[in-house]
């Protein structure tokens, strides 16, 4: 299985948002309860200091954690879940690169048409839409945690043009990158375009 390149802080944000896009890519283990969950689990959120992340379910189990009874991370919900998991890991890891459906399909060993059909059936979204959401998540994280300009962040997140970055960001977050940064940092930060 492919591992993903996310920092602790980025994974923490995913579990706080109960982000289903990252289910199966990593697991959240809580030291005090000795339970591990999916990122989308709706159970009460633990204190940050009590959290560990594992890329594989069996690693969490080997460390002495048991599966959450609410989100049941030990169960596979679909025969295509492994394909979706591999594709999602690929999208997360290469989201800052220009990706075409053919590149993604080649990585999965499927035809572009079949990949798009399976992916949409499992996630409710096309790989392109999913990739845009990952890029916007990354951009939102960078807006709050760095002093990069909005344009630099757009390119760093993988958008190929600033106009596309602004359009997709506003569509998914309901505000411009500058407004998002202002809201999340209380008016502080670099707002240069």
């Amino acid at each position: 299985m492919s591992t993903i390149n996310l920092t602790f802080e980025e994974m923490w944000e995913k579990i706080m948002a109960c982000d289903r896009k990252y289910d199966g890519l990593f697991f959240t283990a809580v030291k005090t309860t000795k339970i591990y969950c999916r990122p989308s689990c709706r159970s009460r959120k633990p204190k940050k200091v009590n959290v560990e992340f594992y890329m594989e379910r069996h690693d969490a189990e080997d460390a002495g954690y048991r599966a959450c009874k609410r989100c049941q991370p030990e169960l596979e919900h679909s025969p295509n879940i492994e394909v979706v998991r591999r594709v999602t890991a690929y999208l997360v890891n290469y989201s800052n690169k220009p990706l075409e459906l053919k590149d993604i399909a080649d990585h999965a060993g499927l035809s572009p048409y079949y990949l798009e059909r399976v992916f949409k059936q499992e996630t409710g979204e096309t790989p392109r839409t999913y990739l845009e959401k990952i890029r916007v998540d990354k951009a939102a994280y960078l807006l709050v945690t760095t002093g990069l300009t909005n344009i630099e962040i757009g390119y760093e997140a993988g958008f190929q043009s600033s106009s596309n970055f602004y359009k997709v960001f506003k569509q998914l977050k309901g505000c411009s990158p500058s407004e998002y940064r202002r809201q999340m940092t209380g008016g502080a930060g670099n707002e240069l375009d």
Side-chain angles (χ1 to χ4, degrees), residues 68-92:
C68 172
K69 291 183 177 165
R70 186 171 188 175
C71 69
Q72 300 177 322
E74 76 283 10
L75 299 179
E76 295 293 341
H77 295 290
S78 162
N80 296 319
I81 200 72
E82 190 53 41
V83 169
V84 171
R85 197 174 287 150
R86 273 196 331 265
V87 168
T88 305
Y90 182 77
L91 293 175
V92 169

Side-chain angles (χ1 to χ4, degrees), residues 8 20 31 41 61 67 69 80-81 85 88 111-112 114 120 135 180 185 193:
F8 181 94
R20 208 173 150 245
K31 298 173 194 173
C41 187
E61 291 169 353
K69 291 183 177 165
N80 296 319
I81 200 72
R85 197 174 287 150
T88 305
S111 74
Y114 184 72
K120 187 162 186 167
R135 287 175 172 164
Y180 183 84
T185 61
D193 293 324

Side-chain angles (χ1 to χ4, degrees), residues 1-116:
M1 175 157 168
S2 304
T3 58
I4 57 170
N5 301 321
L6 292 176
T7 65
F8 181 94
E9 290 299 322
E10 288 174 304
M11 288 189 277
W12 174 255
E13 283 183 14
K14 304 310 172 215
I15 69 163
M16 295 310 289
C18 298
D19 198 333
R20 208 173 150 245
K21 293 190 301 279
Y22 295 87
D23 281 359
L25 297 180
F26 68 87
F27 298 89
T28 306
V30 182
K31 298 173 194 173
T32 53
T33 61
K34 298 305 272 179
I35 293 173
Y36 73 95
C37 299
R38 301 172 189 273
S40 66
C41 187
R42 296 272 179 205
S43 294
R44 188 170 157 224
K45 298 303 175 206
K47 290 182 179 176
K48 197 176 197 178
V49 296
N50 295 329
V51 170
E52 292 181 319
F53 293 108
Y54 291 92
M55 296 300 128
E56 300 285 340
R57 185 177 70 228
H58 63 82
D59 291 338
E61 291 169 353
D62 290 348
Y65 293 96
R66 69 173 177 79
C68 172
K69 291 183 177 165
R70 186 171 188 175
C71 69
Q72 300 177 322
E74 76 283 10
L75 299 179
E76 295 293 341
H77 295 290
S78 162
N80 296 319
I81 200 72
E82 190 53 41
V83 169
V84 171
R85 197 174 287 150
R86 273 196 331 265
V87 168
T88 305
Y90 182 77
L91 293 175
V92 169
N93 289 335
Y94 296 98
S95 62
N96 61 340
K97 307 274 188 253
L99 292 175
E100 298 292 326
L101 183 60
K102 183 174 178 356
D103 302 326
I104 301 164
D106 288 347
H107 173 76
L110 303 170
S111 74
Y113 171 77
Y114 184 72
L115 168 65
E116 190 160 58

